[in-house]
């Protein structure tokens, strides 16, 4: 028996035109194979429509929020690692560049001599600055000297504190904002 | 879309985590159900649903408020589950394994629970005969009443591809149903024929 186009019509999702529906009905009366298929499909469709939807275990959204926190933390730590690695890489690259530059532009002896010369100049400069401040302190009244020391010490302490806080914040929370998470 | 949802969406678009958590609460069941129907395992479905919401949260800026949020969300879930299916290509679970595993219990009545579990198992067995994309098309069509165009958009397929996939899937499901029914009838006959002592 020729089952086409009836076999295709059985699985059409949209209602058939009246004439086709009638043709199909007549075919089904004489074709047990197509009738079995139609019954099977109607059963499956009923199952698809009526099978109860599966639900997650209670507390799904709480688990999602906990997961979000964990993922964010992982992402921030990864960001910190990337930042540190990028900085270290940049420093290494600069050092390598300098090394290559000096190696290409001057001999080792010149390099050594200029290094000694520069170090000596820096040391002499530091000694001169120290002497300048010492002579300055001798002329200033002791109150002003104490105040100057106090201000310098406060600045150093503040800078240290800011540095420690920054390191702590980056290591704990990373450098990401909500926007970056998106 | 109802007003609170619109508000949650707007707030979520501005980065409000609590508003997004409300959306999670609201859509957890449809997303979980889709993942469960696609993957056939409660734990994998939980992971997939969590991942779906995470991806949605990460890419909320890409959501077009003119479109349905449910469609967008289910599309993410379907794509994720299709990928998972492709990755694992695991053999279909044996029926004994399926029977050992119970679905989340929602009904206190044991009889009802048993019949529901049976129904769920039959459904799962049927869906497992389809490939991942066909399965997602069938699930979106019959569980979520998506039109062919909506399925096409959600799965990045052409409307004609969806039409032919749905048609092929209906045929495959009906054939599987007939095969299961014939097997069950054969089993029953054997039991009836066995001598009673």
């Amino acid at each position: 028996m020729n089952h086409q186009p009836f076999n295709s019509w059985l699985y059409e999702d949209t209602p058939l035109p009246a004439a086709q529906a009638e043709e199909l009905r007549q075919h089904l009366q004489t074709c047990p194979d197509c009738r079995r298929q139609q019954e099977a499909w109607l059963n499956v469709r009923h199952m698809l429509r009526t099978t109860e939807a599966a639900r997650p275990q209670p507390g799904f959204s709480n688990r999602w929020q906990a997961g979000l926190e964990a993922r964010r933390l992982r992402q921030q730590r990864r960001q910190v690692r990337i930042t540190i690695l990028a900085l270290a890489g940049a420093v290494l690259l600069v050092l390598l560049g300098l090394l290559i530059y000096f190696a290409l532009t001057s001999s080792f002896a010149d390099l050594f001599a200029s290094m000694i010369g520069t170090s000596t100049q820096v040391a002499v400069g530091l000694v001169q600055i120290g002497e300048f401040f010492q002579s300055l302190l001798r002329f200033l009244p002791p109150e002003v000297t104490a105040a100057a020391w106090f201000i310098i010490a406060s600045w150093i302490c503040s800078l240290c504190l800011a540095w420690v806080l920054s390191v702590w914040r980056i290591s704990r929370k990373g450098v990401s904002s909500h926007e970056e998470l998106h | 879309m109802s007003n609170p949802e619109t508000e949650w969406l707007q707030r979520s678009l501005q980065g409000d985590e609590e508003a997004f958590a409300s959306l999670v609460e609201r859509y957890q069941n449809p997303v979980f159900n889709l993942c469960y129907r696609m993957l056939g395992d409660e734990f994998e479905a939980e992971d997939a649903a969590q991942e779906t919401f995470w991806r949605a949260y990460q890419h909320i800026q890409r959501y077009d408020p003119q479109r349905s949020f449910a469609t967008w969300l289910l599309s993410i879930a379907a794509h994720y589950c299709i990928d998972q299916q492709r990755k694992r290509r695991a053999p279909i679970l044996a029926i004994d394994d399926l029977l050992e595993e119970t679905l989340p219990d929602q009904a206190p009545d044991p009889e009802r629970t048993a019949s529901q579990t049976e129904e769920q198992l039959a459904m799962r067995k049927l869906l497992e005969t389809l490939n991942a994309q066909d399965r997602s098309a069938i699930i979106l069509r019959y569980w979520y009443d998506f039109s062919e165009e909506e399925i096409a958009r959600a799965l990045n397929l052409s409307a004609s591809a969806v039409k032919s996939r749905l048609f092929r899937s209906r045929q495959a499901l009906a054939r599987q149903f007939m095969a299961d029914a014939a097997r069950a009838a054969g089993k029953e006959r054997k039991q009836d024929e066995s001598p009673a002592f």
Side-chain angles (χ1 to χ4, degrees):
Chain A
M1 190 184 283
N2 185 13
H3 299 285
Q4 288 302 349
F6 311 110
N7 193 270
S8 301
W9 291 352
L10 288 178
Y11 297 104
E12 280 300 332
D13 208 17
T14 45
L16 294 170
Q20 281 183 5
E22 180 54 27
E23 270 186 76
L24 178 63
R25 196 185 61 78
Q26 280 174 10
H27 175 77
L28 289 174
Q29 279 175 350
T30 56
C31 179
D33 188 40
C34 283
R35 208 164 47 237
R36 266 199 306 276
Q37 284 194 52
Q38 190 202 33
E39 277 168 21
W41 166 238
L42 290 179
N43 271 309
V44 171
R45 197 175 65 178
H46 178 74
M47 280 171 76
L48 286 167
R49 296 262 188 224
T50 57
T51 302
E52 200 173 307
R55 285 178 230 170
Q57 296 285 359
F60 181 89
S61 57
N62 290 340
R63 290 195 294 283
W64 181 78
Q65 277 178 306
L68 177 69
E69 201 51 50
R71 279 173 197 260
R72 189 179 287 160
L73 208 64
R74 274 203 302 275
Q75 204 173 37
Q76 284 162 350
R77 282 187 183 149
R78 197 172 61 232
Q79 227 167 12
V80 170
R81 273 201 299 275
I82 290 169
T83 310
I84 290 169
L85 277 173
L87 279 173
V91 168
L92 271 175
L93 214 65
V94 168
L95 285 176
L96 200 69
L98 283 173
L99 205 70
I100 292 168
Y101 172 76
F102 286 126
L104 290 175
T105 52
S106 47
S107 69
F108 180 74
D110 289 342
L111 207 64
F112 188 71
S114 68
M115 219 165 72
I116 297 287
T118 313
S119 312
T120 315
Q121 277 176 355
V122 169
V124 170
L126 285 174
V127 168
Q128 281 175 344
I129 290 169
E131 281 171 356
F132 168 75
F133 276 109
Q134 274 177 1
S135 56
L136 195 70
L137 287 173
R138 260 183 247 127
F139 290 107
L140 288 171
E143 292 82 14
V144 176
T145 313
W149 276 118
F150 179 75
I151 290 166
I152 290 166
S154 306
W155 270 105
I156 290 169
C157 284
S158 306
L159 285 173
C160 286
L161 195 68
W163 179 72
V164 167
L165 277 174
S166 305
V167 169
W168 175 80
R169 191 188 170 280
I170 289 169
S171 62
R172 286 280 298 174
K173 298 181 179 175
V175 287
S176 70
S177 66
H178 189 84
E179 283 303 309
E180 281 167 321
L181 274 172
H182 288 260
Chain B
M1 197 184 297
S2 61
N3 281 336
E5 265 183 50
T6 317
E7 195 198 315
W8 292 336
L9 270 170
Q10 275 168 356
R11 279 168 48 203
S12 296
L13 282 164
Q14 287 157 7
D16 187 332
E17 197 181 298
E18 271 186 38
F20 195 84
S22 304
L23 290 170
V24 174
E25 189 72 37
R26 165 75 183 81
Y27 286 105
Q28 56 177 317
N29 287 348
V31 170
F32 179 84
N33 183 53
L34 174 69
C35 297
Y36 181 75
R37 300 297 160 201
M38 285 294 294
L39 302 170
D41 177 84
E42 190 193 335
F43 299 106
E44 281 185 54
E46 163 88 16
D47 287 347
Q50 293 280 349
E51 182 66 30
T52 299
F53 282 112
W54 164 247
R55 288 181 179 195
Y57 179 74
Q58 265 190 313
H59 303 298
I60 190 81
Q61 302 298 336
R62 290 188 204 163
Y63 165 65
D64 173 8
Q66 304 301 316
R67 286 178 58 191
S68 149
F69 183 68
T71 308
W72 185 67
L73 202 56
L74 291 172
S75 156
I76 296 173
H79 279 291
Y80 180 74
C81 292
I82 290 168
D83 284 348
Q84 290 303 104
Q85 289 275 303
R86 281 182 185 151
K87 269 182 210 161
R88 73 175 180 185
R89 288 179 192 275
I92 292 164
L93 284 171
I95 194 72
D96 294 344
D97 297 336
L98 300 179
L99 286 166
E100 275 173 24
E101 194 189 312
T102 52
L103 279 163
D105 185 15
Q106 306 293 336
D109 177 6
E111 260 182 47
R112 196 175 157 224
T113 309
S115 81
Q116 273 182 358
T117 308
E118 227 169 80
E119 188 184 52
Q120 300 278 11
L121 285 176
M123 193 73 260
R124 193 185 328 177
K125 236 181 131 219
L126 275 176
L127 288 173
E128 273 168 355
T129 60
L130 303 176
N131 71 40
Q133 230 165 15
D134 291 354
R135 197 185 304 179
S136 57
I138 280 283
I139 293 167
L140 292 173
R141 178 78 192 91
Y142 292 100
W143 249 291
Y144 300 97
D145 282 323
F146 274 33
S147 66
E148 284 170 359
E149 289 72 30
E150 281 175 314
I151 298 172
R153 265 203 306 272
L155 301 180
N156 293 337
L157 294 168
S158 66
S160 60
V162 169
K163 202 176 169 64
S164 66
R165 272 175 189 279
L166 284 173
F167 185 84
R168 207 172 49 209
S169 305
R170 284 183 211 117
Q171 272 185 325
L173 289 173
R175 280 195 196 118
Q176 184 61 36
F177 184 87
M178 284 193 289
D180 288 347
R183 209 173 298 131
K187 226 182 215 176
E188 269 179 33
R189 252 200 316 277
K190 264 188 193 167
Q191 276 174 353
D192 291 344
E193 284 165 7
S194 62
F197 291 102

